[in-house]
Amino acid sequence: TWHRSLSDLPPGPILLVAHELYDALPVHQLVKTERGWCERVVERAEVDVPEHFQVMLSPAPSMMAGLMLRARLEALKTLEEKQAVTKVELCPQAWTLTQDIVKRIAEGKGAALIMDYGAEGPVGDSLQAIRKHEFVDLLDETGTA
C-alpha cells in the first residue's frame, strides 16, 4: 500500500526501507558571491529561450543562508575547509522527514534502512536532470526528466 506521508500509516511497528529517498526532495542551492550567499532561482527569461525560463542568482543574499547555512557548514572541521566552500545545497524537508521517521520509530518501535549515495560533508552541486539515461539541462522540456 502506498502512503503520502508517515502520518497516514496505521500505528504500530514500522520497517522502512528507502533508496535515494532524499534525492527526491527539493533543494535550495546557495552560491557564495561578493554580495553574500545568494540562492539559485528559476525566473522568467527576459529573452526568448526554450521554455521561457532561466536559472539565475537571487539579487540579494538568501534568507535560507541565514537560517540554515551555519548548521550545514559546522560539519567541516577547519576554517580553510569552510572558506573553500562556494556552493551548498540545503533541504529543510530532509531534516523534517528524518525527525518524523525517528519519532515514528521511537513511538511504535521499528527500524529504518535508508540508502543514499554521496560525498561526506556539504554538497554543493548535485542538482541535475536526467532523461532517457542522459544528462539534460534543468529547464529543457520541463517536467519530462
Side-chain angles (χ1 to χ4, degrees):
T1 304
W2 289 96
H3 298 277
R4 295 188 73 70
S5 72
L6 287 174
S7 62
D8 291 344
L9 294 172
I14 182 175
L15 174 59
L16 173 68
V17 179
H19 181 253
E20 299 291 343
L21 172 66
Y22 296 109
D23 286 350
L25 300 175
V27 297
H28 296 266
Q29 190 178 66
L30 304 178
V31 179
K32 187 190 276 186
T33 71
E34 292 178 3
R35 300 185 309 266
W37 286 93
C38 294
E39 188 167 357
R40 284 183 69 196
V41 295
V42 175
E43 292 196 358
R44 186 173 176 91
E46 293 182 16
V47 296
D48 191 26
V49 296
E51 304 293 327
H52 307 289
F53 294 105
Q54 63 186 0
V55 177
M56 56 190 308
L57 292 178
S58 60
S62 171
M63 287 186 359
M64 188 61 59
L67 295 172
M68 300 181 71
L69 184 61
R70 179 176 298 165
R72 192 73 171 119
L73 293 178
E74 282 179 2
L76 300 175
K77 307 226 181 310
T78 67
L79 181 59
E80 291 80 20
E81 287 177 312
K82 292 177 185 178
Q83 290 175 338
V85 174
T86 59
K87 291 182 184 175
V88 174
E89 290 175 354
L90 303 173
C91 182
Q93 290 86 348
W95 293 0
T96 302
L97 178 60
T98 301
Q99 290 173 340
D100 291 346
I101 292 168
V102 169
K103 181 179 175 187
R104 175 60 196 258
I105 291 171
E107 289 174 351
K109 306 250 187 264
L113 174 61
I114 302 171
M115 297 159 280
D116 201 324
Y117 308 102
E120 187 175 333
V123 175
D125 201 6
S126 73
L127 188 60
Q128 58 190 351
I130 301 172
R131 183 184 317 106
K132 297 180 182 176
H133 309 287
E134 299 286 333
F135 290 102
V136 295
D137 185 270
L138 286 174
L139 300 176
D140 181 45
E141 297 182 36
T142 308
T144 64

